[in-house]
Amino acid sequence: MEQDHKSTVIITGASSGVGLQAARALAERNWHVVMACRNLSKTETAAQNLGMSKENYTIMQLDLASLESVRQFVKNFRESGLSLDALVCNAAVYMPLLKEPLRSADGYELSVATNHLGHFLLCNLMLEDLKNSSSQKPRLIILGTVTANPKELGGKIPIPAPPDLGNLKGFEDGFKEPISMINGKKFKSGKAYKDSKLCNLLTMLELHRRYHESTGIVFSSLYPGCVATTALFRNHYPLFQKIFPLFQKHITGGFVSEELAGDRVADVVTEPEYEKSGMYWSWGNRQKKDRKSFVQEVSEEASDDNKAKRMWELSEKLVGIA
């Protein structure tokens, strides 16, 4: 099959972990995968190590912590001549040991800038490309996490603090030095990650409310299970990196391999059972053989339409599309 007849998917953060395995799974299903990453040589090596055929993937530069990089990526993608049938927002940074915030190229706290604002801009800019898809039901998928949803067992753990956007005062006040949290309060690195992932979920739900009916695009999120071995935890204590996978395998039963998580992402991209928009798909915290997905209930904050609308409007201003 010729490349231009294949369905095309963009996956952010596809150089390792779940993103890489989702790229592998979709390439095996004869999709053309645009691997959107910061490190091109690392991504090329990873793709080759998995035996991915060069005709099934393209690697493009994308640094989600830079709004200019996001805009340049969209320009480069359009110049490639590829059509777009699915966008998977997978990339994330997690820096739980920081005492003081790091800043993005645009001056925003780094985890929120990367996980939320970069993806928010990318989603908005690529809506037009998805609308022009030859697929009857193009899809936009944002990866979720159990820690950002107190309705799930893993989200009930209040360490360092539960996700809470408050009245979005930090966003309202410009989200630059000295502001480092969305709610405008004192910096807590682990909470900043949770807040950014809560914004991901609110973004998906707001995309669904604003655009599903008029465009036919299917918007969804998923939590593929606890993937305890990925590079997401590279900034944690070395002892945590050793113990956490064992804890998930032998104590909680929640452990999921990177390969299985990648397969689950590919299912949400391709399978008819995931055509319903506005859903948060989960495989839960107890992993068993032949585990089936279900629609996960979300927290009251994630269900707050007014907060989602306000978060959207303030995010538009921060990324320069208001």
mmCIF file of all heavy atoms in Angstrom, residues 38 90-98 102 109-116 145-148 154 157-161 187-197 226-228 230-237 240-241 244:
data_model
loop_
_atom_site.group_PDB
_atom_site.id
_atom_site.type_symbol
_atom_site.label_atom_id
_atom_site.label_comp_id
_atom_site.label_asym_id
_atom_site.label_seq_id
_atom_site.Cartn_x
_atom_site.Cartn_y
_atom_site.Cartn_z
ATOM 1 N N ARG A 38 11.394 15.598 20.689
ATOM 2 C CA ARG A 38 12.488 16.570 20.788
ATOM 3 C C ARG A 38 13.781 16.033 20.183
ATOM 4 O O ARG A 38 14.499 16.742 19.509
ATOM 5 C CB ARG A 38 12.728 16.931 22.261
ATOM 6 C CG ARG A 38 11.655 17.802 22.894
ATOM 7 C CD ARG A 38 11.953 18.069 24.351
ATOM 8 N NE ARG A 38 11.944 16.836 25.145
ATOM 9 C CZ ARG A 38 12.286 16.766 26.426
ATOM 10 N NH1 ARG A 38 12.697 17.853 27.053
ATOM 11 N NH2 ARG A 38 12.227 15.627 27.079
ATOM 12 N N ASN A 90 0.462 12.369 23.916
ATOM 13 C CA ASN A 90 0.995 11.415 24.880
ATOM 14 C C ASN A 90 2.118 11.987 25.739
ATOM 15 O O ASN A 90 2.244 11.635 26.909
ATOM 16 C CB ASN A 90 1.516 10.189 24.115
ATOM 17 C CG ASN A 90 2.501 9.379 24.929
ATOM 18 O OD1 ASN A 90 2.125 8.631 25.824
ATOM 19 N ND2 ASN A 90 3.793 9.544 24.619
ATOM 20 N N ALA A 91 2.939 12.875 25.190
ATOM 21 C CA ALA A 91 4.147 13.336 25.879
ATOM 22 C C ALA A 91 3.819 13.988 27.219
ATOM 23 O O ALA A 91 2.783 14.650 27.375
ATOM 24 C CB ALA A 91 4.899 14.337 24.995
ATOM 25 N N ALA A 92 4.720 13.796 28.178
ATOM 26 C CA ALA A 92 4.543 14.421 29.492
ATOM 27 C C ALA A 92 5.879 14.455 30.219
ATOM 28 O O ALA A 92 6.742 13.603 29.996
ATOM 29 C CB ALA A 92 3.518 13.658 30.328
ATOM 30 N N VAL A 93 6.039 15.456 31.072
ATOM 31 C CA VAL A 93 7.184 15.507 31.974
ATOM 32 C C VAL A 93 6.661 15.499 33.406
ATOM 33 O O VAL A 93 5.588 16.033 33.697
ATOM 34 C CB VAL A 93 8.062 16.745 31.730
ATOM 35 C CG1 VAL A 93 8.689 16.687 30.339
ATOM 36 C CG2 VAL A 93 7.284 18.039 31.909
ATOM 37 N N TYR A 94 7.447 14.884 34.286
ATOM 38 C CA TYR A 94 7.072 14.735 35.692
ATOM 39 C C TYR A 94 8.355 14.887 36.499
ATOM 40 O O TYR A 94 9.277 14.086 36.348
ATOM 41 C CB TYR A 94 6.436 13.367 35.900
ATOM 42 C CG TYR A 94 6.138 12.970 37.336
ATOM 43 C CD1 TYR A 94 5.450 13.824 38.190
ATOM 44 C CD2 TYR A 94 6.527 11.721 37.821
ATOM 45 C CE1 TYR A 94 5.163 13.436 39.495
ATOM 46 C CE2 TYR A 94 6.231 11.324 39.112
ATOM 47 C CZ TYR A 94 5.556 12.181 39.946
ATOM 48 O OH TYR A 94 5.269 11.802 41.243
ATOM 49 N N MET A 95 8.425 15.930 37.327
ATOM 50 C CA MET A 95 9.643 16.221 38.082
ATOM 51 C C MET A 95 9.315 16.397 39.563
ATOM 52 O O MET A 95 9.303 17.508 40.094
ATOM 53 C CB MET A 95 10.311 17.467 37.500
ATOM 54 C CG MET A 95 10.778 17.259 36.065
ATOM 55 S SD MET A 95 11.250 18.764 35.218
ATOM 56 C CE MET A 95 9.628 19.506 34.987
ATOM 57 N N PRO A 96 9.027 15.281 40.248
ATOM 58 C CA PRO A 96 8.488 15.365 41.608
ATOM 59 C C PRO A 96 9.471 15.846 42.663
ATOM 60 O O PRO A 96 9.051 16.182 43.774
ATOM 61 C CB PRO A 96 8.072 13.917 41.887
ATOM 62 C CG PRO A 96 8.993 13.099 41.044
ATOM 63 C CD PRO A 96 9.174 13.896 39.787
ATOM 64 N N LEU A 97 10.755 15.907 42.368
ATOM 65 C CA LEU A 97 11.735 16.258 43.391
ATOM 66 C C LEU A 97 12.115 17.738 43.378
ATOM 67 O O LEU A 97 12.867 18.195 44.237
ATOM 68 C CB LEU A 97 13.005 15.412 43.218
ATOM 69 C CG LEU A 97 12.784 13.895 43.193
ATOM 70 C CD1 LEU A 97 14.115 13.172 43.100
ATOM 71 C CD2 LEU A 97 12.003 13.440 44.419
ATOM 72 N N LEU A 98 11.595 18.495 42.427
ATOM 73 C CA LEU A 98 11.941 19.917 42.338
ATOM 74 C C LEU A 98 11.415 20.694 43.539
ATOM 75 O O LEU A 98 10.277 20.516 43.965
ATOM 76 C CB LEU A 98 11.359 20.530 41.066
ATOM 77 C CG LEU A 98 11.977 20.146 39.721
ATOM 78 C CD1 LEU A 98 11.253 20.905 38.612
ATOM 79 C CD2 LEU A 98 13.462 20.448 39.687
ATOM 80 N N LEU A 102 10.961 25.000 37.287
ATOM 81 C CA LEU A 102 11.679 25.283 36.055
ATOM 82 C C LEU A 102 10.717 26.010 35.117
ATOM 83 O O LEU A 102 9.499 25.882 35.249
ATOM 84 C CB LEU A 102 12.168 23.986 35.412
ATOM 85 C CG LEU A 102 13.188 23.174 36.207
ATOM 86 C CD1 LEU A 102 13.520 21.882 35.473
ATOM 87 C CD2 LEU A 102 14.449 23.989 36.473
ATOM 88 N N GLU A 109 5.643 27.698 34.073
ATOM 89 C CA GLU A 109 6.102 26.511 34.814
ATOM 90 C C GLU A 109 6.158 25.326 33.852
ATOM 91 O O GLU A 109 5.235 25.086 33.099
ATOM 92 C CB GLU A 109 5.155 26.238 35.989
ATOM 93 C CG GLU A 109 5.641 25.168 36.947
ATOM 94 C CD GLU A 109 5.356 23.745 36.461
ATOM 95 O OE1 GLU A 109 4.252 23.510 35.909
ATOM 96 O OE2 GLU A 109 6.234 22.884 36.621
ATOM 97 N N LEU A 110 7.251 24.566 33.906
ATOM 98 C CA LEU A 110 7.593 23.650 32.824
ATOM 99 C C LEU A 110 6.623 22.486 32.632
ATOM 100 O O LEU A 110 6.286 22.138 31.493
ATOM 101 C CB LEU A 110 9.005 23.096 33.038
ATOM 102 C CG LEU A 110 9.577 22.300 31.870
ATOM 103 C CD1 LEU A 110 9.709 23.173 30.626
ATOM 104 C CD2 LEU A 110 10.928 21.707 32.250
ATOM 105 N N SER A 111 6.161 21.864 33.720
ATOM 106 C CA SER A 111 5.289 20.699 33.544
ATOM 107 C C SER A 111 3.929 21.100 32.981
ATOM 108 O O SER A 111 3.394 20.422 32.095
ATOM 109 C CB SER A 111 5.127 19.924 34.857
ATOM 110 O OG SER A 111 4.645 20.749 35.888
ATOM 111 N N VAL A 112 3.365 22.199 33.432
ATOM 112 C CA VAL A 112 2.096 22.680 32.877
ATOM 113 C C VAL A 112 2.295 23.168 31.442
ATOM 114 O O VAL A 112 1.464 22.926 30.566
ATOM 115 C CB VAL A 112 1.492 23.795 33.760
ATOM 116 C CG1 VAL A 112 0.289 24.440 33.088
ATOM 117 C CG2 VAL A 112 1.088 23.228 35.119
ATOM 118 N N ALA A 113 3.440 23.819 31.184
ATOM 119 C CA ALA A 113 3.731 24.294 29.834
ATOM 120 C C ALA A 113 3.825 23.131 28.849
ATOM 121 O O ALA A 113 3.292 23.196 27.732
ATOM 122 C CB ALA A 113 5.035 25.088 29.833
ATOM 123 N N THR A 114 4.495 22.064 29.258
ATOM 124 C CA THR A 114 4.708 20.913 28.370
ATOM 125 C C THR A 114 3.462 20.057 28.249
ATOM 126 O O THR A 114 2.994 19.761 27.141
ATOM 127 C CB THR A 114 5.871 20.054 28.900
ATOM 128 O OG1 THR A 114 7.045 20.862 29.047
ATOM 129 C CG2 THR A 114 6.156 18.893 27.959
ATOM 130 N N ASN A 115 2.945 19.638 29.392
ATOM 131 C CA ASN A 115 1.854 18.657 29.391
ATOM 132 C C ASN A 115 0.533 19.251 28.936
ATOM 133 O O ASN A 115 -0.239 18.582 28.236
ATOM 134 C CB ASN A 115 1.683 18.068 30.794
ATOM 135 C CG ASN A 115 2.961 17.450 31.337
ATOM 136 O OD1 ASN A 115 3.928 17.252 30.604
ATOM 137 N ND2 ASN A 115 2.980 17.165 32.620
ATOM 138 N N HIS A 116 0.279 20.498 29.325
ATOM 139 C CA HIS A 116 -1.008 21.112 28.977
ATOM 140 C C HIS A 116 -0.915 22.165 27.878
ATOM 141 O O HIS A 116 -1.511 22.000 26.809
ATOM 142 C CB HIS A 116 -1.658 21.728 30.214
ATOM 143 C CG HIS A 116 -2.810 22.635 29.889
ATOM 144 N ND1 HIS A 116 -3.900 22.229 29.128
ATOM 145 C CD2 HIS A 116 -3.032 23.965 30.166
ATOM 146 C CE1 HIS A 116 -4.746 23.231 28.961
ATOM 147 N NE2 HIS A 116 -4.237 24.295 29.576
ATOM 148 N N THR A 145 -4.166 10.211 33.434
ATOM 149 C CA THR A 145 -3.473 9.540 34.531
ATOM 150 C C THR A 145 -4.408 9.390 35.703
ATOM 151 O O THR A 145 -5.234 10.274 35.984
ATOM 152 C CB THR A 145 -2.215 10.300 34.973
ATOM 153 O OG1 THR A 145 -1.664 9.650 36.130
ATOM 154 C CG2 THR A 145 -2.526 11.735 35.339
ATOM 155 N N VAL A 146 -4.277 8.281 36.405
ATOM 156 C CA VAL A 146 -5.110 8.005 37.561
ATOM 157 C C VAL A 146 -4.893 9.053 38.660
ATOM 158 O O VAL A 146 -5.817 9.366 39.421
ATOM 159 C CB VAL A 146 -4.814 6.576 38.083
ATOM 160 C CG1 VAL A 146 -3.388 6.461 38.597
ATOM 161 C CG2 VAL A 146 -5.800 6.148 39.132
ATOM 162 N N THR A 147 -3.679 9.618 38.751
ATOM 163 C CA THR A 147 -3.362 10.533 39.851
ATOM 164 C C THR A 147 -4.099 11.865 39.741
ATOM 165 O O THR A 147 -4.166 12.613 40.712
ATOM 166 C CB THR A 147 -1.852 10.810 39.923
ATOM 167 O OG1 THR A 147 -1.421 11.399 38.694
ATOM 168 C CG2 THR A 147 -1.084 9.524 40.157
ATOM 169 N N ALA A 148 -4.647 12.172 38.572
ATOM 170 C CA ALA A 148 -5.352 13.445 38.394
ATOM 171 C C ALA A 148 -6.857 13.299 38.533
ATOM 172 O O ALA A 148 -7.593 14.258 38.327
ATOM 173 C CB ALA A 148 -5.024 14.035 37.028
ATOM 174 N N GLY A 154 -6.169 5.386 42.697
ATOM 175 C CA GLY A 154 -4.865 6.028 42.697
ATOM 176 C C GLY A 154 -4.936 7.535 42.796
ATOM 177 O O GLY A 154 -3.961 8.187 43.179
ATOM 178 N N ILE A 157 -4.933 9.464 46.618
ATOM 179 C CA ILE A 157 -3.742 9.652 47.440
ATOM 180 C C ILE A 157 -3.341 11.123 47.418
ATOM 181 O O ILE A 157 -2.953 11.650 46.371
ATOM 182 C CB ILE A 157 -2.584 8.780 46.916
ATOM 183 C CG1 ILE A 157 -3.005 7.304 46.932
ATOM 184 C CG2 ILE A 157 -1.325 8.988 47.743
ATOM 185 C CD1 ILE A 157 -2.037 6.370 46.245
ATOM 186 N N PRO A 158 -3.425 11.812 48.564
ATOM 187 C CA PRO A 158 -3.215 13.271 48.578
ATOM 188 C C PRO A 158 -1.757 13.687 48.717
ATOM 189 O O PRO A 158 -1.433 14.621 49.431
ATOM 190 C CB PRO A 158 -4.031 13.706 49.793
ATOM 191 C CG PRO A 158 -3.881 12.551 50.744
ATOM 192 C CD PRO A 158 -3.831 11.302 49.875
ATOM 193 N N ILE A 159 -0.832 12.965 48.086
ATOM 194 C CA ILE A 159 0.593 13.273 48.193
ATOM 195 C C ILE A 159 1.085 13.749 46.829
ATOM 196 O O ILE A 159 0.931 13.029 45.839
ATOM 197 C CB ILE A 159 1.400 12.036 48.646
ATOM 198 C CG1 ILE A 159 0.889 11.546 50.017
ATOM 199 C CG2 ILE A 159 2.883 12.359 48.719
ATOM 200 C CD1 ILE A 159 1.491 10.241 50.459
ATOM 201 N N PRO A 160 1.696 14.923 46.700
ATOM 202 C CA PRO A 160 1.893 15.934 47.751
ATOM 203 C C PRO A 160 0.628 16.733 48.043
ATOM 204 O O PRO A 160 0.503 17.374 49.061
ATOM 205 C CB PRO A 160 2.968 16.831 47.146
ATOM 206 C CG PRO A 160 2.698 16.782 45.676
ATOM 207 C CD PRO A 160 2.238 15.378 45.401
ATOM 208 N N ALA A 161 -0.317 16.689 47.118
ATOM 209 C CA ALA A 161 -1.614 17.348 47.279
ATOM 210 C C ALA A 161 -2.481 16.870 46.129
ATOM 211 O O ALA A 161 -1.979 16.518 45.060
ATOM 212 C CB ALA A 161 -1.462 18.873 47.235
ATOM 213 N N PHE A 187 4.429 26.659 45.054
ATOM 214 C CA PHE A 187 4.831 25.612 44.121
ATOM 215 C C PHE A 187 4.964 24.247 44.808
ATOM 216 O O PHE A 187 5.620 24.124 45.838
ATOM 217 C CB PHE A 187 6.164 25.971 43.465
ATOM 218 C CG PHE A 187 6.687 24.924 42.527
ATOM 219 C CD1 PHE A 187 6.026 24.643 41.347
ATOM 220 C CD2 PHE A 187 7.843 24.214 42.836
ATOM 221 C CE1 PHE A 187 6.513 23.675 40.469
ATOM 222 C CE2 PHE A 187 8.338 23.251 41.968
ATOM 223 C CZ PHE A 187 7.668 22.971 40.782
ATOM 224 N N LYS A 188 4.320 23.258 44.229
ATOM 225 C CA LYS A 188 4.479 21.856 44.627
ATOM 226 C C LYS A 188 4.618 21.066 43.330
ATOM 227 O O LYS A 188 3.665 20.970 42.550
ATOM 228 C CB LYS A 188 3.275 21.367 45.433
ATOM 229 C CG LYS A 188 3.113 22.037 46.782
ATOM 230 C CD LYS A 188 1.902 21.485 47.524
ATOM 231 C CE LYS A 188 1.740 22.163 48.890
ATOM 232 N NZ LYS A 188 0.548 21.657 49.618
ATOM 233 N N SER A 189 5.800 20.510 43.100
ATOM 234 C CA SER A 189 6.106 19.933 41.792
ATOM 235 C C SER A 189 5.185 18.776 41.423
ATOM 236 O O SER A 189 4.696 18.701 40.292
ATOM 237 C CB SER A 189 7.562 19.472 41.762
ATOM 238 O OG SER A 189 7.823 18.569 42.822
ATOM 239 N N GLY A 190 4.941 17.864 42.355
ATOM 240 C CA GLY A 190 4.060 16.730 42.056
ATOM 241 C C GLY A 190 2.638 17.173 41.762
ATOM 242 O O GLY A 190 1.968 16.622 40.887
ATOM 243 N N LYS A 191 2.178 18.190 42.481
ATOM 244 C CA LYS A 191 0.833 18.715 42.249
ATOM 245 C C LYS A 191 0.750 19.427 40.896
ATOM 246 O O LYS A 191 -0.282 19.359 40.210
ATOM 247 C CB LYS A 191 0.422 19.666 43.362
ATOM 248 C CG LYS A 191 -1.002 20.214 43.206
ATOM 249 C CD LYS A 191 -1.358 21.161 44.346
ATOM 250 C CE LYS A 191 -2.780 21.673 44.211
ATOM 251 N NZ LYS A 191 -3.023 22.409 42.960
ATOM 252 N N ALA A 192 1.831 20.097 40.494
ATOM 253 C CA ALA A 192 1.837 20.769 39.191
ATOM 254 C C ALA A 192 1.595 19.754 38.078
ATOM 255 O O ALA A 192 0.867 20.030 37.117
ATOM 256 C CB ALA A 192 3.165 21.495 38.977
ATOM 257 N N TYR A 193 2.200 18.572 38.211
ATOM 258 C CA TYR A 193 1.969 17.508 37.222
ATOM 259 C C TYR A 193 0.501 17.082 37.224
ATOM 260 O O TYR A 193 -0.128 16.985 36.164
ATOM 261 C CB TYR A 193 2.864 16.309 37.539
ATOM 262 C CG TYR A 193 2.520 15.083 36.729
ATOM 263 C CD1 TYR A 193 2.909 14.964 35.400
ATOM 264 C CD2 TYR A 193 1.782 14.045 37.297
ATOM 265 C CE1 TYR A 193 2.578 13.842 34.648
ATOM 266 C CE2 TYR A 193 1.451 12.916 36.554
ATOM 267 C CZ TYR A 193 1.848 12.823 35.232
ATOM 268 O OH TYR A 193 1.506 11.707 34.492
ATOM 269 N N LYS A 194 -0.055 16.833 38.425
ATOM 270 C CA LYS A 194 -1.461 16.426 38.516
ATOM 271 C C LYS A 194 -2.380 17.485 37.914
ATOM 272 O O LYS A 194 -3.323 17.162 37.180
ATOM 273 C CB LYS A 194 -1.854 16.186 39.984
ATOM 274 C CG LYS A 194 -1.202 14.996 40.641
ATOM 275 C CD LYS A 194 -1.720 14.869 42.065
ATOM 276 C CE LYS A 194 -1.083 13.748 42.824
ATOM 277 N NZ LYS A 194 -1.621 13.618 44.197
ATOM 278 N N ASP A 195 -2.093 18.747 38.220
ATOM 279 C CA ASP A 195 -2.919 19.836 37.688
ATOM 280 C C ASP A 195 -2.855 19.887 36.160
ATOM 281 O O ASP A 195 -3.863 20.118 35.486
ATOM 282 C CB ASP A 195 -2.464 21.173 38.263
ATOM 283 C CG ASP A 195 -2.806 21.349 39.741
ATOM 284 O OD1 ASP A 195 -3.569 20.522 40.278
ATOM 285 O OD2 ASP A 195 -2.308 22.312 40.345
ATOM 286 N N SER A 196 -1.658 19.665 35.619
ATOM 287 C CA SER A 196 -1.514 19.702 34.163
ATOM 288 C C SER A 196 -2.321 18.585 33.513
ATOM 289 O O SER A 196 -2.924 18.775 32.446
ATOM 290 C CB SER A 196 -0.040 19.580 33.776
ATOM 291 O OG SER A 196 0.465 18.262 33.967
ATOM 292 N N LYS A 197 -2.364 17.418 34.149
ATOM 293 C CA LYS A 197 -3.112 16.293 33.589
ATOM 294 C C LYS A 197 -4.612 16.482 33.774
ATOM 295 O O LYS A 197 -5.406 16.021 32.945
ATOM 296 C CB LYS A 197 -2.648 14.978 34.221
ATOM 297 C CG LYS A 197 -1.188 14.630 33.948
ATOM 298 C CD LYS A 197 -0.873 14.589 32.455
ATOM 299 C CE LYS A 197 -1.552 13.433 31.750
ATOM 300 N NZ LYS A 197 -1.224 13.384 30.310
ATOM 301 N N CYS A 226 -1.255 1.230 34.952
ATOM 302 C CA CYS A 226 -0.042 1.791 35.552
ATOM 303 C C CYS A 226 1.196 1.258 34.840
ATOM 304 O O CYS A 226 1.600 0.115 35.036
ATOM 305 C CB CYS A 226 0.021 1.449 37.037
ATOM 306 S SG CYS A 226 1.453 2.205 37.845
ATOM 307 N N VAL A 227 1.785 2.101 34.017
ATOM 308 C CA VAL A 227 3.007 1.736 33.287
ATOM 309 C C VAL A 227 4.175 2.242 34.128
ATOM 310 O O VAL A 227 4.635 3.373 33.975
ATOM 311 C CB VAL A 227 3.007 2.354 31.879
ATOM 312 C CG1 VAL A 227 4.154 1.777 31.054
ATOM 313 C CG2 VAL A 227 1.676 2.098 31.177
ATOM 314 N N ALA A 228 4.665 1.409 35.023
ATOM 315 C CA ALA A 228 5.589 1.841 36.076
ATOM 316 C C ALA A 228 7.047 1.895 35.650
ATOM 317 O O ALA A 228 7.904 2.282 36.442
ATOM 318 C CB ALA A 228 5.444 0.909 37.280
ATOM 319 N N THR A 230 8.269 3.454 32.666
ATOM 320 C CA THR A 230 8.579 4.409 31.596
ATOM 321 C C THR A 230 9.519 5.512 32.073
ATOM 322 O O THR A 230 9.730 5.727 33.270
ATOM 323 C CB THR A 230 7.307 5.077 31.045
ATOM 324 O OG1 THR A 230 6.830 6.034 31.999
ATOM 325 C CG2 THR A 230 6.229 4.057 30.752
ATOM 326 N N ALA A 231 10.036 6.253 31.090
ATOM 327 C CA ALA A 231 10.942 7.369 31.368
ATOM 328 C C ALA A 231 10.235 8.522 32.077
ATOM 329 O O ALA A 231 10.899 9.461 32.522
ATOM 330 C CB ALA A 231 11.564 7.870 30.070
ATOM 331 N N LEU A 232 8.915 8.447 32.218
ATOM 332 C CA LEU A 232 8.199 9.483 32.968
ATOM 333 C C LEU A 232 8.765 9.609 34.377
ATOM 334 O O LEU A 232 8.771 10.696 34.962
ATOM 335 C CB LEU A 232 6.703 9.143 33.038
ATOM 336 C CG LEU A 232 5.808 10.147 33.777
ATOM 337 C CD1 LEU A 232 5.736 11.473 33.029
ATOM 338 C CD2 LEU A 232 4.411 9.579 33.974
ATOM 339 N N PHE A 233 9.265 8.494 34.921
ATOM 340 C CA PHE A 233 9.762 8.485 36.300
ATOM 341 C C PHE A 233 11.270 8.705 36.394
ATOM 342 O O PHE A 233 11.864 8.499 37.456
ATOM 343 C CB PHE A 233 9.384 7.159 36.978
ATOM 344 C CG PHE A 233 7.902 6.917 37.017
ATOM 345 C CD1 PHE A 233 7.324 5.957 36.206
ATOM 346 C CD2 PHE A 233 7.083 7.661 37.848
ATOM 347 C CE1 PHE A 233 5.949 5.738 36.226
ATOM 348 C CE2 PHE A 233 5.710 7.459 37.878
ATOM 349 C CZ PHE A 233 5.145 6.495 37.062
ATOM 350 N N ARG A 234 11.903 9.139 35.286
ATOM 351 C CA ARG A 234 13.361 9.263 35.282
ATOM 352 C C ARG A 234 13.866 10.343 36.233
ATOM 353 O O ARG A 234 15.044 10.338 36.608
ATOM 354 C CB ARG A 234 13.861 9.546 33.869
ATOM 355 C CG ARG A 234 13.406 10.864 33.268
ATOM 356 C CD ARG A 234 13.882 11.020 31.821
ATOM 357 N NE ARG A 234 13.372 12.224 31.174
ATOM 358 C CZ ARG A 234 12.218 12.291 30.529
ATOM 359 N NH1 ARG A 234 11.448 11.211 30.449
ATOM 360 N NH2 ARG A 234 11.818 13.407 29.961
ATOM 361 N N ASN A 235 12.997 11.271 36.618
ATOM 362 C CA ASN A 235 13.410 12.337 37.530
ATOM 363 C C ASN A 235 13.046 12.050 38.984
ATOM 364 O O ASN A 235 13.117 12.937 39.837
ATOM 365 C CB ASN A 235 12.775 13.669 37.087
ATOM 366 C CG ASN A 235 13.277 14.117 35.738
ATOM 367 O OD1 ASN A 235 14.474 14.172 35.502
ATOM 368 N ND2 ASN A 235 12.363 14.395 34.821
ATOM 369 N N HIS A 236 12.656 10.811 39.274
ATOM 370 C CA HIS A 236 12.332 10.415 40.649
ATOM 371 C C HIS A 236 13.565 9.794 41.306
ATOM 372 O O HIS A 236 14.579 9.548 40.658
ATOM 373 C CB HIS A 236 11.165 9.422 40.650
ATOM 374 C CG HIS A 236 10.216 9.621 41.796
ATOM 375 N ND1 HIS A 236 10.645 9.648 43.109
ATOM 376 C CD2 HIS A 236 8.873 9.806 41.843
ATOM 377 C CE1 HIS A 236 9.606 9.839 43.901
ATOM 378 N NE2 HIS A 236 8.522 9.953 43.163
ATOM 379 N N TYR A 237 13.460 9.524 42.620
ATOM 380 C CA TYR A 237 14.553 8.858 43.325
ATOM 381 C C TYR A 237 14.877 7.519 42.664
ATOM 382 O O TYR A 237 13.962 6.774 42.290
ATOM 383 C CB TYR A 237 14.169 8.605 44.778
ATOM 384 C CG TYR A 237 14.026 9.848 45.628
ATOM 385 C CD1 TYR A 237 12.787 10.222 46.143
ATOM 386 C CD2 TYR A 237 15.134 10.642 45.942
ATOM 387 C CE1 TYR A 237 12.646 11.363 46.935
ATOM 388 C CE2 TYR A 237 14.996 11.779 46.732
ATOM 389 C CZ TYR A 237 13.765 12.121 47.219
ATOM 390 O OH TYR A 237 13.633 13.245 47.997
ATOM 391 N N PHE A 240 12.959 4.690 44.193
ATOM 392 C CA PHE A 240 11.563 4.659 43.762
ATOM 393 C C PHE A 240 11.444 3.963 42.411
ATOM 394 O O PHE A 240 10.534 3.154 42.191
ATOM 395 C CB PHE A 240 10.999 6.083 43.667
ATOM 396 C CG PHE A 240 9.588 6.147 43.131
ATOM 397 C CD1 PHE A 240 8.509 6.081 43.991
ATOM 398 C CD2 PHE A 240 9.344 6.269 41.766
ATOM 399 C CE1 PHE A 240 7.202 6.132 43.504
ATOM 400 C CE2 PHE A 240 8.055 6.322 41.271
ATOM 401 C CZ PHE A 240 6.982 6.249 42.143
ATOM 402 N N GLN A 241 12.364 4.281 41.505
ATOM 403 C CA GLN A 241 12.323 3.686 40.172
ATOM 404 C C GLN A 241 12.466 2.168 40.222
ATOM 405 O O GLN A 241 11.943 1.457 39.361
ATOM 406 C CB GLN A 241 13.428 4.286 39.296
ATOM 407 C CG GLN A 241 13.238 5.772 39.014
ATOM 408 C CD GLN A 241 14.373 6.354 38.202
ATOM 409 O OE1 GLN A 241 14.759 5.803 37.177
ATOM 410 N NE2 GLN A 241 14.924 7.461 38.652
ATOM 411 N N PHE A 244 8.920 0.891 42.645
ATOM 412 C CA PHE A 244 7.565 1.155 42.160
ATOM 413 C C PHE A 244 7.043 0.072 41.219
ATOM 414 O O PHE A 244 5.916 -0.403 41.394
ATOM 415 C CB PHE A 244 7.522 2.533 41.491
ATOM 416 C CG PHE A 244 6.138 2.994 41.115
ATOM 417 C CD1 PHE A 244 5.106 3.016 42.053
ATOM 418 C CD2 PHE A 244 5.855 3.409 39.819
ATOM 419 C CE1 PHE A 244 3.831 3.446 41.706
ATOM 420 C CE2 PHE A 244 4.587 3.832 39.465
ATOM 421 C CZ PHE A 244 3.570 3.842 40.409
#
